[in-house]
Amino acid sequence: MAVVTITPRSQGMLTSQSFPNLGAGVYMQCGLMKLDFGRTAVLAVALVAVSFLLATGETAAQAVNYQLGDGAGGTIYQQPQPNVFHKASSRYIYQDAGSGSDTRNGVTIGDSSQLPEIVEANKATESRQMADPAKESARSAENMRIEALEEKIEELEGMFDEENLPAYSADYKKGFRITPRDKKKTPFELKINGRLQFRWSGFQGDQPFTNRAGTIEPPSRNGFEVERGRLEFKGYAIDPRLKYYFNLDADTDDNHSVIFHDFWFDYDLGETATLRIGKAKVPGSYEWLESSTTTRFADRSLSTTYFRADRSVGAWLLGTTDRGLYYQLAVTNGFVTTDLEPDQVDDNFAYTGLFYIDPIGEFGSGHSDLTYHEKPAIRIGTSLSYANTNPQDDGSPTPEQNFPRVSDGIRLTDTGAVSPGVTVNDFDHFLVSGFLSGKWRGFSFNAEYYARWLDNFDTIEGPAPAINELFDSGFYADVGYFLVPGVFEVNGRISQIDGLFGDSWEYAAGFNWFHNESHKSKVTFDATVLDGSPTSSSSPNFELGQDGILYRLQYQIAF
């Protein structure tokens, strides 16, 4: 016997118009379309009989026997379809006379002896499902819950429509940030960073310091201080290419005052150039230009402190060329004019430029090899600075002119600095530096050489100076090595200043302990032997004439 399935959908030769009692229409799933007209007519009569049984509401398996004219015959069964309760969705099984099993046109032909068991099993399944109101109720409740969740999802999706989203978001990523969702509609961004250097320093001099101005006895030192307590505000405004930076600085050794240390706007001119206007560092030295956050010791070297520029107001052009040359060019009010009032600055500009390139490897930032370069990295560069200074209207030196000292520590504008009884009130300042740095497998070194010319002196009164030009030179070299990569580094440094009126030396050793393998949480200790300091600066705790050992223990935290 062979089996053919007929399902209640409209397709093929037999349709709902032919058998209206089937409701949704019927079609022979495959092979029936090959029956001739005589077979089809007899089969149609059988299907009508099955339709009549359905109309009576019977749900048990029904069967109608039929006989074809050529002697062949068979039976049509109604088979309830599992999980479907509508009678019109039932299946019909056409069982033709014959034997064996085969597949023709996608129709399974098999043993008719299995049909009664199949029919009974399907009937029992349908009866259980229809007779279990608890399951039906549970299914209805589940559908209601699904509908409620779908409504909630639609409501939440509405909340996150573009019109309802906030214009800004706040988070932390290398600083506290307020960032716009759409830079074009709201082009404003703010990032806040903070840093604090808490330091203990101690010094006890070996002997008084004597120069041409007399004898100096530097004070002993033993105390705590906040060297740099800073808040930084940066981001962009009006246009993502227009960036800003503001730096508030507080020092306990600077009258406990808070000042705007740096403030500038940068405008991105393209991939290789940025225009900066405002107040910033004059790029007259590589170690000076590097952030005090990443110095190897608690502070910069003695020679850098002696020769370096400071901050000033002006305009900068900076960037990196296509060939990897970094440059920074500046035209500023002066070489050292930070915190000065307009009437304390002359009307001449200072011109500076700094350049470097990394011919081998990617050097990165900072002096220490925190990232443990597997391959050597080298940086080499130079800086050049020129400034001409003029006196005030009454002929006396301006406060701007007080920055240079000669090699025994006397200021150039002090009476007698170059000749007895002579006061210099006008001069040219020219400084050149060259530097070389390297990193490889936890080892790093930095070295910078300075050459400075002070010339074209004018004086207030008295005889012409016996000296019309002064040349000073100096250098520093430091090394470091991580005993524990990224965590514990030991350091050494030597620095020297040499000039017409004497020379001075610095020898230092110490260590850094990096808590999170970065400068954001770092303990630094160093001991520095000073051989008559010719300069004075509160940041590195150098005092004029220091001859002895300076100790510094510092904890730096930054976010």
Side-chain angles (χ1 to χ4, degrees):
M1 297 287 289
V3 178
V4 179
T5 301
I6 307 172
T7 58
R9 295 181 184 174
S10 177
Q11 183 173 321
M13 293 173 59
L14 302 179
T15 65
S16 59
Q17 285 76 18
S18 301
F19 304 98
N21 287 336
L22 294 181
V26 298
Y27 72 101
M28 303 298 280
Q29 196 169 30
C30 288
L32 183 59
M33 296 179 67
K34 291 191 174 182
L35 296 175
D36 58 23
F37 179 81
R39 286 174 175 266
T40 303
V42 175
L43 182 58
V45 173
L47 288 172
V48 171
V50 174
S51 300
F52 174 77
L53 293 173
L54 287 173
T56 64
E58 298 291 337
T59 58
Q62 306 292 338
V64 174
N65 295 321
Y66 68 93
Q67 184 71 39
L68 299 178
D70 57 3
T75 305
I76 293 180
Y77 293 89
Q78 175 205 356
Q79 176 189 4
Q81 183 176 351
N83 303 322
V84 180
F85 308 120
H86 196 278
K87 292 179 181 178
S89 299
S90 300
R91 292 185 178 180
Y92 298 92
I93 300 174
Y94 162 66
Q95 181 177 321
D96 196 4
S99 61
S101 63
D102 196 359
T103 300
R104 299 191 185 98
N105 300 322
V107 178
T108 301
I109 309 299
D111 186 358
S112 63
S113 64
Q114 299 176 0
L115 291 173
E117 288 82 358
I118 295 172
V119 171
E120 290 298 326
N122 288 334
K123 175 205 175 225
T125 300
E126 184 180 36
S127 298
R128 285 195 303 271
Q129 291 171 339
M130 296 181 65
D132 191 347
K135 289 186 177 179
E136 187 66 22
S137 176
R139 182 177 292 106
S140 177
E142 182 67 19
N143 289 337
M144 292 177 65
R145 284 194 295 270
I146 292 173
E147 291 177 359
L149 288 173
E150 289 176 345
E151 291 177 359
K152 187 64 175 178
I153 290 172
E154 291 180 0
E155 179 184 348
L156 292 175
E157 288 176 344
M159 293 175 59
F160 289 97
D161 286 344
E162 185 174 346
E163 296 180 355
N164 295 327
L165 287 174
Y168 293 89
S169 63
D171 64 356
Y172 180 87
K173 185 178 181 180
K174 297 182 179 180
F176 293 105
R177 302 189 312 167
I178 300 176
T179 55
R181 185 174 55 84
D182 189 331
K183 291 182 179 181
K184 293 183 179 180
K185 290 184 178 180
T186 51
F188 297 91
E189 181 185 73
L190 171 64
K191 179 187 284 189
I192 302 175
N193 295 100
R195 175 162 62 104
L196 183 142
Q197 291 179 342
F198 179 75
R199 182 187 299 176
W200 168 83
S201 58
F203 175 81
Q204 183 64 52
D206 293 336
Q207 57 187 5
F209 174 76
T210 301
N211 62 10
R212 290 171 298 134
T215 298
I216 302 172
E217 187 167 352
S220 60
R221 187 180 186 95
N222 179 34
F224 297 107
E225 63 175 309
V226 173
E227 178 47 45
R228 295 176 176 93
R230 294 185 178 176
L231 279 177
E232 299 175 352
F233 304 86
K234 66 185 75 171
Y236 56 80
I238 303 174
D239 186 324
R241 294 173 296 179
L242 183 61
K243 299 177 176 64
Y244 63 87
Y245 177 84
F246 300 97
N247 180 349
L248 292 173
D249 178 68
D251 284 350
T252 57
D253 58 1
D254 193 17
N255 299 321
H256 294 256
S257 58
V258 178
I259 61 172
F260 271 103
H261 223 39
D262 303 276
F263 41 91
W264 71 68
F265 277 89
D266 283 354
Y267 187 77
D268 185 2
L269 299 176
E271 295 182 358
T272 61
T274 297
L275 176 65
R276 173 176 297 170
I277 55 173
K279 178 186 176 184
K281 288 181 178 179
V282 176
S285 160
Y286 177 66
E287 189 183 30
W288 162 241
L289 201 60
E290 283 285 284
S291 171
S292 57
T293 307
T294 60
T295 55
R296 191 188 303 281
F297 289 81
D299 222 296
R300 299 179 177 91
S301 66
L302 181 67
S303 60
T304 297
T305 303
Y306 178 81
F307 287 107
R308 71 167 174 84
D310 206 319
R311 290 169 168 84
S312 189
V313 179
W316 287 253
L317 185 67
L318 60 153
T320 303
T321 68
D322 294 335
R323 296 182 177 272
L325 175 67
Y326 176 84
Y327 65 92
Q328 192 170 142
L329 307 173
V331 178
T332 57
N333 284 344
F335 197 66
V336 180
T337 62
T338 186
D339 306 329
L340 293 180
E341 306 256 338
D343 59 356
Q344 297 176 316
V345 179
D346 64 25
D347 55 1
N348 293 331
F349 292 142
Y351 306 91
T352 56
L354 181 140
F355 311 86
Y356 65 70
I357 193 169
D358 298 347
I360 301 175
E362 296 183 4
F363 190 82
S365 63
H367 290 186
S368 303
D369 188 18
L370 266 172
T371 56
Y372 198 83
H373 285 66
E374 290 290 350
K375 296 182 180 180
I378 298 294
R379 174 169 291 174
I380 185 170
T382 186
S383 69
L384 304 95
S385 307
Y386 172 76
N388 170 254
T389 64
N390 290 332
Q392 300 183 85
D393 293 339
D394 61 0
S396 61
T398 63
E400 176 189 353
Q401 294 177 302
N402 290 335
F403 72 89
R405 294 178 183 268
V406 297
S407 57
D408 62 353
I410 299 176
R411 294 187 185 277
L412 177 64
T413 53
D414 287 347
T415 300
V418 294
S419 296
V422 174
T423 302
V424 174
N425 68 348
D426 193 347
F427 60 90
D428 290 345
H429 173 275
F430 186 61
L431 175 68
V432 177
S433 79
F435 52 89
L436 177 68
S437 301
K439 296 178 180 179
W440 185 47
R441 294 187 176 182
F443 171 78
S444 57
F445 71 88
N446 302 274
E448 188 165 11
Y449 172 79
Y450 298 100
R452 186 186 70 179
W453 291 264
L454 301 171
D455 56 18
N456 293 329
F457 299 146
D458 281 341
T459 61
I460 297 177
E461 55 187 17
I467 301 170
N468 198 39
E469 178 182 284
L470 287 173
F471 174 76
D472 294 342
S473 64
F475 75 92
Y476 77 87
D478 61 47
V479 296
Y481 181 73
F482 276 94
L483 299 178
V484 180
V487 178
F488 191 80
E489 178 190 38
V490 292
N491 304 308
R493 179 168 72 193
I494 184 172
S495 178
Q496 188 250 4
I497 300 162
D498 184 39
L500 179 64
F501 302 109
D503 61 353
S504 301
W505 291 84
E506 171 199 17
Y507 310 92
F511 66 81
N512 288 315
W513 178 22
F514 300 87
H515 290 177
N516 57 354
E517 299 187 12
S518 77
H519 292 280
K520 293 183 178 180
S521 180
K522 176 178 69 171
V523 173
T524 299
F525 173 78
D526 57 53
T528 302
V529 177
L530 295 169
D531 178 24
S533 169
T535 188
S536 181
S537 177
S538 62
S539 296
N541 305 117
F542 292 148
E543 297 279 354
L544 181 64
Q546 281 177 329
D547 193 326
I549 302 177
L550 171 66
Y551 299 95
R552 294 175 296 195
L553 176 63
Q554 177 175 283
Y555 175 62
Q556 173 174 276
I557 184 170
F559 64 84

